[in-house]
Amino acid sequence: MAGQTDNRAPYARIAAHYTELIASGELQPGSLLPSIKNLAEEWKVSTATAEKALRKLRNEGLVRGIHGIGTEVLDRPAPMSSGSQRQDRGRRTGSSWGQGERSDSHQAALVPAPAEVAQALDIEPGSDVVRRSRVYRDRHGIVAHSTSWIPARYGKLIPQLAASERLTGGTSLQLIAQATGNPISHRIDTASARLLTPEYARLLELDLEDLPTEPVVVMTAQFVDSEGNIVEYGVDLGGPGRTWRTESEVAA
């Protein structure tokens, strides 16, 4: 977390460290994590804190405990992120990538707004919008195909939004907030399971002759600024076998 203080609890920092090693492939399936005692010594924490870190990794399905042997890394695709989670990640780290992720196939164009997009952005159908898309991948394959729909006025204000390349200087939401002076104040999220269509299959680079039968996760997010303007509508299409996972603290 360059340039920022990591205020997470020690157990969460330890868990995040090993989550990154697992997601990046540096820790391969079947590898063993350090023992609770060794973790405690290495991170200079109590054994209770080390155990809590390992328990978090187990709860996330990344590792399993084997009696008499230790904690083994499992081989499972990481869950996909929603647009809102990517916004949070971008604010914290300056990057929308998840642990072990990369993005490619960045494309952008000025296009007429489809009906669903026009409704989400509260504009007339067929109005010009900037469509930005990219593919997030990790070592297991496609995590999600992500599309951002942005009203054309922001594309005029920030020309790089309509360029087919990775953005520099921040995420689209950060750039819009900087240019307008209106921070993003809230967002509206949805999640659904949808059957694969030929268009979804194309976006996920699947073989049309051998499509999975399971539905895929589709996440949407509307982002609203402090003046009440809907500045972006995001649609994330999860790769086959990907789930969506979220975690929050529960007050006692």
Side-chain angles (χ1 to χ4, degrees):
M1 205 176 298
Q4 299 187 28
T5 302
D6 189 342
N7 293 318
R8 290 174 296 182
Y11 83 90
R13 290 201 300 271
I14 297 170
H17 172 76
Y18 283 100
T19 297
E20 170 62 27
L21 294 183
I22 293 168
S24 67
E26 187 170 339
L27 273 177
Q28 292 291 315
S31 301
L32 294 178
L33 268 57
S35 66
I36 292 175
K37 179 182 178 182
N38 288 342
L39 273 181
E41 292 176 352
E42 178 183 350
W43 289 82
K44 296 180 173 56
V45 297
S46 67
T47 54
T49 295
E51 163 59 23
K52 191 173 182 180
L54 291 181
R55 184 164 63 247
K56 179 174 173 61
L57 293 171
R58 290 196 300 271
N59 290 342
E60 292 178 357
L62 296 175
V63 301
R64 65 170 179 168
I66 304 176
H67 183 69
I69 296 178
T71 301
E72 180 188 44
V73 175
L74 296 174
D75 188 18
R76 292 185 181 177
M80 64 178 288
S81 301
S82 67
S84 300
Q85 289 168 320
R86 289 198 174 106
Q87 181 201 17
D88 291 340
R89 187 184 298 139
R91 187 169 58 242
R92 291 196 317 268
T93 70
S95 172
S96 64
W97 291 349
Q99 292 163 325
E101 284 184 359
R102 66 186 189 281
S103 62
D104 57 34
S105 305
H106 292 258
Q107 298 182 1
L110 193 67
V111 300
E116 175 190 350
V117 172
Q119 182 177 9
L121 291 175
D122 194 22
I123 60 177
E124 289 295 320
S127 300
D128 284 345
V129 291
V130 175
R131 180 186 64 205
R132 293 190 56 82
S133 64
R134 79 290 292 165
V135 177
Y136 290 91
R137 307 177 194 269
D138 64 11
R139 64 190 179 87
H140 287 277
I142 290 182
V143 178
H145 181 282
S146 181
T147 304
S148 300
W149 302 88
I150 304 168
R153 64 182 181 275
Y154 299 114
K156 294 178 181 177
L157 194 61
I158 310 164
Q160 72 162 314
L161 289 178
S164 294
E165 56 189 29
R166 285 189 61 202
L167 296 174
T168 58
T171 65
S172 55
L173 293 169
Q174 291 170 326
L175 293 173
I176 291 171
Q178 291 166 8
T180 62
N182 300 324
I184 304 302
S185 62
H186 67 283
R187 64 208 184 196
I188 304 165
D189 300 295
T190 72
S192 61
R194 301 185 191 177
L195 294 176
L196 274 169
T197 64
E199 175 61 11
Y200 286 171
R202 182 186 67 81
L203 295 176
L204 294 173
E205 302 172 10
L206 298 174
D207 182 356
L208 290 175
E209 302 299 321
D210 186 27
L211 292 180
T213 58
E214 302 85 2
V216 292
V217 178
V218 179
M219 310 287 299
T220 73
Q222 292 167 286
F223 296 93
V224 185
D225 71 12
S226 57
E227 297 297 310
N229 302 302
I230 302 173
V231 302
E232 184 172 313
Y233 174 58
V235 181
D236 287 286
L237 175 62
R242 301 287 176 166
T243 58
W244 175 62
R245 182 181 184 278
T246 185
E247 180 179 340
S248 59
E249 296 291 332
V250 177

